[in-house]
Amino acid sequence: MPEGPEIRRTADRVHRQIAGRRLDDAWFVFPDLAGQAASLVGREVIAVDSWGKALLTRFDDGRVLYSHNQLYGVWKVHATDCEPDTSRSLRVRLVAQGRAASLYSASDVSLWAGEQLGDHPFLSRLGPDLLTHGVTLGQVRATLLEPRFQRRCLGGLLLDQSLFAGIGNYLRTEILFFAGLHFTSRPGELEEGALSRLATCILSVTRQAYDQAGVTNRADWGAAERAREASWRRWRFAMFEREGLPCHACGTDIERVMVTSRRLYFCPRCQPAG
């Protein structure tokens, strides 16, 4: 499933396509939304952003179109006279001045009054989005030390979307590696320096994944892998999906474990338990 950086990049593409324009047409496959489509015609799209793995299309009358890609959903941007080449099922189409944004294969779509968005059953459980909500280093540190979070092992905590929205499996692995922390570490037990590294990496690794389209590896390590003609999937990450390969930092074989029923990769030397 795409993680926060990928959804934010999707939101950026849809924003560039239709934001600042008034809709000429809106179409929904869902019966409860189809009846509201006409009311969106003439409305200006003022912004498209993301919150965790949800994409939010905001209109000038205060309404917000919520969509969640889940496993198979995908947004495509295209000219209205150029239908995307796909066998996927069309769910939503928004058209503005010859430009279209089309959502395929997703099933979780709804239209909300902006002031009621906080009551959304999914969004209401989310923590702040690291890429959308201007989260600061100080806020990350303070959140990690909240009573409800500080005693929890990081391997499970980082996937809890009530902590920070958008961190998924690959980000969890990469954040812990660059912070030099074992997945059983707890925020409340960390020394000051380790807590600072963790907070910094939560922000920096997520931002790098957004800026570099999913690449979280160090530039020099990635360059060395490319020189060996490694695939993008091989040099993209510093740690994730590299079981049995040598750690870039120390040469120790990378190990894989299951934490909260999901795979996590770590270096036993760079990230010692305890």
Side-chain angles (χ1 to χ4, degrees):
M1 180 181 291
E3 301 185 18
E6 288 74 38
I7 299 302
R8 181 65 212 214
R9 289 176 69 90
T10 295
D12 291 347
R13 290 196 298 274
V14 178
H15 179 92
R16 289 191 296 267
Q17 181 78 345
I18 59 175
R21 295 175 171 84
R22 295 188 180 277
L23 293 187
D24 299 313
D25 191 24
W27 181 88
F28 301 96
V29 73
F30 310 103
D32 56 330
L33 289 175
Q36 302 180 67
S39 70
L40 290 175
V41 175
R43 300 262 62 100
E44 181 183 347
V45 179
I46 60 172
V48 183
D49 56 40
S50 61
W51 190 349
K53 299 176 184 180
L55 189 140
L56 304 175
T57 304
R58 303 177 185 274
F59 301 100
D60 62 355
D61 63 354
R63 285 182 291 175
V64 180
L65 181 67
Y66 165 94
S67 64
H68 195 298
N69 285 6
Q70 299 170 305
L71 283 174
Y72 304 110
V74 60
W75 279 94
K76 292 181 177 291
V77 295
H78 56 98
T80 54
D81 60 355
C82 184
E83 194 74 19
D85 182 13
T86 179
S87 60
R88 292 172 177 267
S89 299
L90 181 63
R91 305 300 192 187
V92 176
R93 177 162 290 170
L94 304 176
V95 177
Q97 300 175 20
R99 298 168 174 242
S102 299
L103 176 61
Y104 294 87
S105 300
S107 58
D108 190 3
V109 183
S110 51
L111 190 62
W112 290 74
E115 64 273 14
Q116 297 176 347
L117 200 60
D119 297 327
H120 188 283
F122 176 71
L123 297 179
S124 62
R125 301 195 303 268
L126 296 182
D129 186 290
L130 295 165
L131 296 169
T132 299
H133 295 147
V135 180
T136 67
L137 185 61
Q139 288 171 331
V140 173
R141 287 168 53 89
T143 300
L144 289 167
L145 293 178
E146 288 183 12
R148 58 181 172 148
F149 297 135
Q150 64 173 328
R151 298 293 300 170
R152 293 178 57 187
C153 293
L154 290 172
L157 176 60
L158 289 178
L159 293 186
D160 186 338
Q161 299 299 289
S162 68
L163 178 75
F164 300 111
I167 297 178
N169 216 28
Y170 84 78
L171 283 176
R172 170 180 69 165
T173 285
E174 298 290 283
I175 288 167
L176 288 174
F177 170 65
F178 283 112
L181 295 173
H182 195 265
F183 53 86
T184 59
S185 300
R186 294 174 169 85
E189 297 174 354
L190 296 177
E191 296 180 354
E192 183 63 27
L195 182 64
S196 294
R197 288 198 312 273
L198 175 60
T200 298
C201 289
I202 286 173
L203 286 176
S204 64
V205 174
T206 302
R207 172 57 63 171
Q208 180 180 332
Y210 166 71
D211 290 339
Q212 299 184 23
V215 175
T216 54
N217 204 357
R218 261 177 41 174
D220 55 336
W221 293 344
E225 290 281 11
R226 292 195 299 276
R228 291 190 285 269
E229 298 184 348
S231 65
W232 178 79
R233 193 174 184 90
R234 172 80 172 265
W235 64 259
R236 171 187 178 185
F237 300 119
M239 185 62 49
F240 191 70
E241 293 188 330
R242 292 179 56 83
E243 178 186 9
L245 296 173
C247 171
H248 288 299
C250 72
T252 302
D253 285 354
I254 294 168
E255 297 182 9
R256 166 180 158 161
V257 293
M258 297 298 290
V259 179
T260 61
S261 301
R262 300 183 69 184
R263 57 204 168 108
L264 182 148
Y265 302 79
F266 74 106
C267 172
R269 183 174 180 182
C270 295
Q271 300 167 259

